[in-house]
């Protein structure tokens, strides 16, 4: 089941009949790929290294922590393996081997490469890749660590449909996973989209990405999709911001969530104190400005709030942010240069933006500004769906509040 969920998570839409026919024509060529004896031994050693690392941290109850993943990737690197974590948070080990492999593809030389992808959920993917005549075939083996032992959940052999090593040091590829006979799913084929950061990234950039940018991301909000600042908040959606920051401190409370009101005309009236405390904890904004950007009822001193409904659902494939540079400003703020990586589109730089943040004395974070420096085209940013306007909402639900 875990293997199935991972595959579905990594995949986009199911394949057309033409794609399935093309895949079947290529099967004979792909199925000739076999692991060499040395690669079989390498798989055993890789699993032993991973298992030993898990056992070492088991007593510390830190199996899902970032430092455990860092230790795991480092241990694999010490043995000469190219390893990377699923979330691209740790610098890839032995990354030069990937660059060399990509050069062989470019010049249509023969070559082989093994990449180990580890995850926080005590699973790993071992990819044995082979290039001939500019094509790339691979054996993709997915393993789960359970009760002190490794279990192979699936093994697929596929040809890369797309393959690109980008100027900014990303390997982007996709291919058709064939689940026939391996999974209890309704689709027998599905596309996998993969992105690996190959070139090392400054550790401060990684740390600040995890602290300031990743918790926001690009899902169900426009904080990093539009230009705004403390002087002019522009089109920043404070309702999406409320969702983000209220949820941070009230995970167990489903009071203001789409799940409670999906597909309904639910309207909440949130007290001035509660709504403003959430927004003002992350933005330096006055009450009058915030009220002008929202629907506020001064007599009752409440903000009108509508959860996102089915019409405002987004496409399930999202880009993710990566901080690639930063500037410390004289006023104590920091401006981060961010690239949006979108595996589903095969883009290591969907667009770029600069986010300015301020660290407060109490340890909290304020977001000061966002500026889009290289915008995406409309098709590439099609995952984002803004909330309904008041007019759209009233037209859909008849204006009956």
């Amino acid at each position: 089941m875990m293997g199935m969920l991972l595959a579905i998570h990594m995949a986009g839409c199911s394949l057309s009949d033409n794609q399935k026919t093309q895949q079947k024509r290529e099967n004979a060529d792909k199925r000739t790929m076999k692991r060499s004896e040395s690669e079989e031994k390498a798989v055993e050693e890789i699993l032993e290294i991973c298992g030993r690392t898990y056992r070492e941290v088991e007593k510390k109850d830190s199996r899902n922590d970032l430092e455990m993943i860092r230790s795991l990737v480092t241990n694999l690197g010490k043995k000469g393996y190219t390893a990377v974590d699923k979330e691209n948070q740790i610098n890839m080990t032995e990354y030069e081997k990937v660059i060399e492999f990509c050069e062989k593809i470019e010049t249509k030389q023969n070559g082989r490469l093994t990449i180990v992808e580890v995850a926080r959920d005590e699973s790993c993917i071992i990819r044995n890749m082979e290039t001939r005549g500019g094509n790339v075939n691979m054996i993709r083996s997915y393993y789960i660590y359970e009760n002190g032992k490794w279990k192979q959940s699936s093994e697929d052999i596929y040809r890369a449909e797309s393959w690109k090593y980008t100027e900014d040091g990303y390997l982007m590829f996709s291919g058709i996973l064939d689940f026939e006979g391996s999974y209890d799913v309704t689709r027998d084929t599905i596309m996998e989209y993969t992105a690996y950061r190959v070139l090392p990234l400054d550790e401060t950039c990684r740390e600040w990405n995890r602290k300031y940018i990743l918790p926001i991301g690009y899902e169900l909000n426009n904080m990093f999709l539009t230009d705004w600042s403390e002087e002019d908040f522009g089109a920043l959606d404070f309702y999406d911001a409320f969702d983000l920051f209220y949820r941070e401190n009230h995970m167990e409370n489903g009071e203001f969530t789409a799940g409670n009101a999906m597909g309904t005309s639910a309207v909440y009236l949130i007290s001035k104190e509660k709504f403003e405390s959430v927004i003002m904890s992350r933005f330096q904004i006055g009450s009058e400005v915030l009220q002008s950007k929202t629907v506020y009822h001064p007599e009752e001193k409440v903000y009108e709030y509508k959860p996102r409904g089915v019409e405002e659902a987004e496409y399930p494939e999202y880009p993710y942010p990566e901080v690639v540079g930063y500037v410390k400003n004289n006023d104590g703020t920091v401006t981060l240069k961010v690239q949006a990586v979108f595996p589903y589109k095969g883009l290591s730089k969907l667009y770029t933006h600069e986010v300015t943040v301020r660290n407060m004395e109490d340890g909290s974070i304020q977001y000061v500004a966002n500026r889009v420096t290289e915008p995406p085209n409309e098709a590439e940013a099609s995952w984002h769906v803004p909330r309904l306007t008041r007019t759209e909402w009233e037209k859909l639900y008849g204006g009956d509040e």
Side-chain angles (χ1 to χ4, degrees), residues 84 88 92 168-170 195-201 206 322 324:
V84 65
N88 279 312
M92 176 183 279
D168 47 355
Y170 256 92
Y196 291 145
R197 166 160 277 285
V198 177
L199 292 183
L201 193 60
R206 291 190 178 280
E322 187 175 77
V324 295

Side-chain angles (χ1 to χ4, degrees), residues 216 221-230 232-242 244-245 279 282-285 289-290 292-294 367-370 387:
I216 308 300
N221 78 91
N222 71 347
M223 269 186 65
F224 300 146
L225 293 174
T226 187
D227 290 355
W228 60 269
S229 68
E230 290 179 340
D232 180 2
F233 284 97
L236 176 61
D237 191 318
F238 285 103
Y239 289 114
D240 283 340
F242 179 83
L244 281 168
F245 301 127
I279 297 299
R282 293 308 182 100
F283 301 96
Q284 188 168 285
I285 185 173
V289 175
L290 181 57
S292 72
K293 296 288 184 179
T294 55
Y367 290 87
V368 178
N370 182 74
R387 283 177 182 260

Side-chain angles (χ1 to χ4, degrees), residues 334-347:
V334 177
T335 298
L336 308 172
K337 181 180 179 180
V338 187
Q339 291 183 179
V341 182
F342 204 178
Y344 182 69
K345 294 287 186 179
L347 296 170

Side-chain angles (χ1 to χ4, degrees), residues 375-401:
N377 67 47
E378 186 175 344
E380 291 169 346
S382 59
W383 83 88
H384 177 66
V385 177
R387 283 177 182 260
L388 295 173
T389 65
R390 188 176 184 86
T391 300
E392 290 169 336
W393 190 94
E394 290 178 348
K395 181 179 180 180
L396 183 65
Y397 294 110
D400 181 11
E401 300 180 12

Side-chain angles (χ1 to χ4, degrees), residues 306-361:
K306 304 179 183 74
R308 278 178 173 262
V310 291
E311 299 81 9
E312 297 150 304
E314 294 182 337
Y315 194 75
E317 297 287 351
Y318 294 95
Y320 64 85
E322 187 175 77
V323 173
V324 295
Y326 60 89
V327 175
K328 295 182 178 180
N329 304 312
N330 293 333
D331 62 0
T333 62
V334 177
T335 298
L336 308 172
K337 181 180 179 180
V338 187
Q339 291 183 179
V341 182
F342 204 178
Y344 182 69
K345 294 287 186 179
L347 296 170
S348 61
K349 189 168 69 173
L350 169 68
Y351 80 102
T352 63
H353 58 108
E354 294 178 348
V355 183
T356 301
V357 297
R358 178 188 296 119
N359 290 311
M360 306 301 288
E361 290 184 1

Side-chain angles (χ1 to χ4, degrees), residues 1 16 19 61 118 176 193 226 241 293 314 323 365:
M1 177 62 71
S16 68
Q19 287 174 307
D61 196 26
V118 299
I176 302 169
Y193 301 91
T226 187
K293 296 288 184 179
E314 294 182 337
V323 173
I365 301 165

